[in-house]
Amino acid sequence: MSTQLWGVVIAALDSEAQARWWAHALGWRAEAEDDGDWCVVADDPTVPKLLFETVADAKTRLKNRIHLDIASASASAQAATVARLRAVGATDADVGQHAQPWVVLADPEGNEFCVLDPRHRYQDAPGLASIVIDANDPDRMAEFWAAATGWPVGNRGVYGVSLHRAGDRPPDIDFVRVPELKTLK
């Protein structure tokens, strides 16, 4: 029997500000936790939450090993989302993506995320299209997390492996192949 994926924990210098920013970005709501941390929650209780945990140390890596992908219903919706998020503090980010149809931005604390080009898979996504995790061995990581969450493998490709949430609904968990080893938390 699998466990349930509750959410993703994201380190934040200002957990309230980060939670409010991401709630605005995704169209979700921010909620205070009893311990001073903040959660960002979708209307659908089966969608993993984002927990912003207050930490004292600022981000030091160029690129996070986990990032979020935001869905776009159309090219004009993608452009509008990018403009809206830049207007509230997102900045352009270069993680070596070169020319791609998605836009890489960073939130106010420097965490990279992508605003995806329109994709059929994410037409009904609840704002969040995917939780993307860098992996040296995507197949092994997907095998572990499929067992832990009960999410089945949705597809495999040269890029890596995707797990799909129950009912084959986004957000997905994507394990993307990268050559560099994990060196920091």
Side-chain angles (χ1 to χ4, degrees):
M1 181 173 164
S2 65
T3 58
Q4 180 180 343
L5 178 62
W6 180 87
V8 177
V9 178
I10 302 168
L13 294 173
D14 185 337
S15 59
E16 179 180 0
Q18 281 291 91
R20 291 189 186 284
W21 193 90
W22 276 98
H24 172 74
L26 296 171
W28 296 5
R29 65 185 181 282
E31 299 176 347
E33 296 286 302
D34 292 338
D35 60 3
D37 294 333
W38 281 73
C39 250
V40 178
V41 182
D43 288 337
D44 179 345
T46 68
V47 172
K49 299 166 180 58
L50 304 178
L51 174 69
F52 291 89
E53 180 179 58
T54 303
V55 298
D57 53 328
K59 177 185 170 190
T60 57
R61 291 187 58 120
L62 170 66
K63 176 179 171 274
N64 290 339
R65 293 199 49 101
I66 297 178
H67 75 267
L68 304 176
D69 282 352
I70 296 176
S72 299
S74 65
S76 60
Q78 179 189 27
T81 298
V82 168
R84 177 175 59 85
L85 296 178
R86 283 178 178 149
V88 294
T91 55
D92 293 313
D94 182 356
V95 294
Q97 69 269 19
H98 308 291
Q100 297 293 338
W102 59 85
V103 178
V104 182
L105 299 173
D107 70 18
E109 288 196 6
N111 300 299
E112 304 86 15
F113 65 95
C114 298
V115 180
L116 297 179
D117 50 297
R119 298 179 188 187
H120 179 72
R121 166 93 187 128
Y122 302 126
Q123 287 300 306
D124 296 321
L128 183 62
S130 185
I131 301 161
V132 183
I133 302 170
D134 288 356
N136 298 109
D137 187 344
D139 290 305
R140 186 169 168 229
M141 292 282 289
E143 180 182 341
F144 172 85
W145 284 103
T149 63
W151 293 22
V153 170
N155 59 305
R156 294 178 192 272
V158 175
Y159 72 92
V161 181
S162 290
L163 301 183
H164 291 181
R165 192 165 62 99
D168 198 31
R169 298 169 298 155
D172 299 335
I173 302 173
D174 295 333
F175 298 96
V176 177
R177 187 176 316 283
V178 297
E180 65 273 3
L181 296 174
K182 178 180 176 181
T183 57
L184 300 170
K185 73 172 183 173

